[in-house]
Amino acid sequence: MFDANLIRKDFPILERQVWNRPLVYLDNAATTQKPVQVLDCIEKCYREYNSNVHRGIHFLSQESTRLLEEAREKVRSFINAPSTDEIIFTRGTTESLNLLATCFSQRFLKAGDEIILSGMEHHSNIVPWQIQAERVGYSIRVIPVLDNGELDMEAFRSMISDRTRLVSVTWVSNVLGTVNPVVEIIKAAHEKGIPVVLDGAQAVPHTSIDVQALDVDFLAFSGHKIYGPTGTGVLYGKRELLEAMPPYQGGGEMIGHVSFESTTFNSLPYKFEAGTPDYVGSIALGAAIDYVQALGMDDIRQYENSLLEYACQGLRTIPGMRFIGNAAHRSGVVSFLVGDIFPSDMGTLLDHLGIAVRTGHHCAQPLMERFGIQGTVRASVSFYNTKADIDALVAGVDRVRGMF
């Protein structure tokens, strides 16, 4: 049986008090807390076998290398990728998408081409493509967002043309919680031979992933959102596309042979992993994956969805409550405004009640403009949250409303 109160014992930070009140942590979409299993893994790495990977014949180097590659295999299995060659370790979703925008654009895009993004993208799935579009000369088209926070799929299908070369969309909106119809998006794009990128930062922590069943071409996600260390992440890509793309950075590890006349590059995935990697972080990411898989991703999804629905029911009773986005399928987050209370004021006062939420534009300013607002209050749940946390949030929001 899924027991959040028992699970909480694995997360020491949840025992903290802030402003002399018990911490109610509802900022999980920004970053998750780390279980002792991950913290212990990090400490053990540095205490017992810290050594640079792939570069030494001595025992410590061999052990670190083995553990890093075991972590890569854990990631491969977790998302059901065909091969570890297709698992590239990065510093997070942002670096994964920057790598992809740079290398894909250099190899596959030219002036006059088009790519398709959506109106609910995080800045990390907008700005890298804009930078490359300015250099290369391709155009960016944007799938509109409907009033309920869902993508306008009819508009999406109509904007696919013989100039479309890529579709890159978020799986789950970090603001609205909307679960986008990615199966439908991938199918529509693939019918025209167009590859698809999924920003999985907000999806991977909440549901089971099977990249082969999805037939997605690229998937990016962050370790710190799935209970692993900060500064870790993954880019999955289909082998044929990764092999065709040039390297992202130059240096050690990504080379085959270097001379001043010419350089050859290493095989996948190392072609895209220049320099000393955060091998400790990646090994600990493997520990985080072990942890969530032991809990069961389906059980996590069901519990978190029930908690999110409980939160929406409670918040809906508050006078002046306005939800931003009301998609039929949501995951992880609820964003709202109350009356004319500025989000940062609400967040500051909730903080003094011990309740941690996120306020602002959430690195999604085009989406804020779409809804005619400057920002929202965002509460985001994890499997270690409880109904008591939600009750505290609802009571806190209502108390702040009363103050205004």
Side-chain angles (χ1 to χ4, degrees):
M1 182 176 293
F2 200 89
D3 188 343
N5 287 304
L6 182 62
I7 290 168
R8 289 173 66 89
K9 295 179 181 179
D10 289 336
F11 295 83
I13 198 169
L14 299 180
E15 298 299 318
R16 278 210 62 182
Q17 290 203 340
V18 294
W19 304 111
N20 296 317
R21 294 176 179 270
L23 171 65
V24 176
Y25 186 78
L26 292 169
D27 193 21
N28 296 286
T31 195
T32 54
Q33 301 302 337
K34 317 307 171 192
V36 291
Q37 291 84 349
V38 170
L39 302 177
D40 290 346
C41 177
I42 294 170
E43 182 177 11
K44 186 174 183 179
C45 284
Y46 282 121
R47 282 187 178 275
E48 297 186 15
Y49 38 76
N50 178 47
S51 184
N52 210 332
V53 294
H54 299 139
R55 303 182 187 183
I57 60 172
H58 60 81
F59 184 88
L60 292 182
S61 179
Q62 292 292 307
E63 189 165 28
S64 287
T65 299
R66 175 181 61 81
L67 291 167
L68 175 63
E69 295 308 321
E70 285 179 0
R72 198 187 304 272
E73 167 58 25
K74 290 176 183 179
V75 174
R76 184 213 64 76
S77 176
F78 183 60
I79 64 173
N80 194 33
S83 169
T84 53
D85 292 348
E86 298 169 316
I87 303 299
I88 300 163
F89 284 128
T90 67
R91 293 186 296 122
T93 306
T94 297
E95 184 174 57
S96 294
L97 293 172
N98 273 271
L99 184 162
L100 190 54
T102 301
C103 301
F104 189 93
S105 297
Q106 184 174 338
R107 173 61 179 83
F108 293 109
L109 297 176
K110 64 183 184 304
D113 288 342
E114 295 178 350
I115 69 168
I116 296 175
L117 309 179
S118 88
M120 63 176 67
E121 297 308 311
H122 189 281
H123 295 166
S124 61
N125 200 29
I126 301 174
V127 179
W129 298 107
Q130 289 177 327
I131 292 172
Q132 297 306 317
E134 186 173 345
R135 293 174 179 172
V136 176
Y138 59 81
S139 300
I140 297 173
R141 304 195 68 185
V142 181
I143 309 169
V145 178
L146 300 172
D147 290 342
N148 68 350
E150 296 179 356
L151 293 180
D152 186 337
M153 291 299 292
E154 184 176 345
F156 164 63
R157 293 186 193 92
S158 70
M159 65 177 59
I160 298 175
S161 72
D162 57 5
R163 294 194 296 172
T164 307
R165 298 292 178 263
L166 184 75
V167 176
S168 186
V169 296
T170 185
W171 190 336
V172 175
S173 168
N174 73 307
V175 177
L176 309 173
T178 302
V179 180
N180 285 320
V182 295
V183 172
E184 187 178 347
I185 290 170
I186 293 167
K187 181 181 178 183
H190 282 184
E191 286 175 352
K192 303 293 186 179
I194 302 165
V196 176
V197 181
L198 290 182
D199 173 352
Q202 300 295 335
V204 171
H206 302 293
T207 191
S208 299
I209 309 294
D210 187 333
V211 295
Q212 293 189 73
L214 284 170
D215 195 27
V216 68
D217 300 279
F218 298 98
L219 172 71
F221 65 95
S222 297
H224 73 100
K225 295 185 189 294
I226 190 167
Y227 310 95
T230 56
T232 63
V234 172
L235 174 64
Y236 158 78
K238 288 183 178 177
R239 179 191 295 272
E240 60 270 23
L241 292 171
L242 292 175
E243 287 182 337
M245 287 160 45
Y248 180 49
Q249 296 177 320
E253 188 64 30
M254 51 73 66
I255 58 92
H257 177 266
V258 175
S259 71
F260 282 106
E261 288 71 37
S262 65
T263 294
T264 60
F265 304 125
N266 206 343
S267 59
L268 295 175
Y270 311 111
K271 182 174 80 169
F272 294 103
E273 294 182 354
T276 298
D278 184 359
Y279 52 88
V280 173
S282 295
I283 292 168
L285 172 57
I289 288 173
D290 287 341
Y291 185 85
V292 296
Q293 286 190 307
L295 292 178
M297 293 306 300
D298 289 339
D299 288 341
I300 288 173
R301 175 180 53 80
Q302 292 175 16
Y303 176 76
E304 291 177 341
N305 285 349
S306 69
L307 206 60
L308 188 64
E309 179 57 31
Y310 183 73
C312 290
Q313 289 174 359
L315 292 168
R316 199 173 286 122
T317 65
I318 297 173
M321 175 60 60
R322 175 190 173 192
F323 293 116
I324 307 303
N326 190 29
H329 300 287
R330 290 195 291 178
S331 177
V333 308
V334 56
S335 283
F336 59 89
L337 296 169
V338 181
D340 58 0
I341 303 172
F342 203 67
S344 61
D345 292 335
M346 174 68 75
T348 298
L349 292 170
L350 287 176
D351 176 57
H352 281 267
L353 297 174
I355 303 165
V357 295
R358 181 69 45 156
T359 66
H361 55 65
H362 315 296
C363 293
Q365 288 178 305
L367 187 60
M368 298 298 107
E369 293 175 6
R370 160 64 180 85
F371 284 99
I373 57 179
Q374 292 183 321
T376 75
V377 181
R378 183 185 72 186
S380 48
V381 300
S382 162
F383 54 70
Y384 49 57
N385 289 123
T386 64
K387 285 187 174 181
D389 290 336
I390 302 304
D391 291 340
L393 171 69
V394 173
V397 171
D398 195 42
R399 181 175 175 180
V400 173
R401 179 198 61 82
M403 295 172 62
F404 281 82

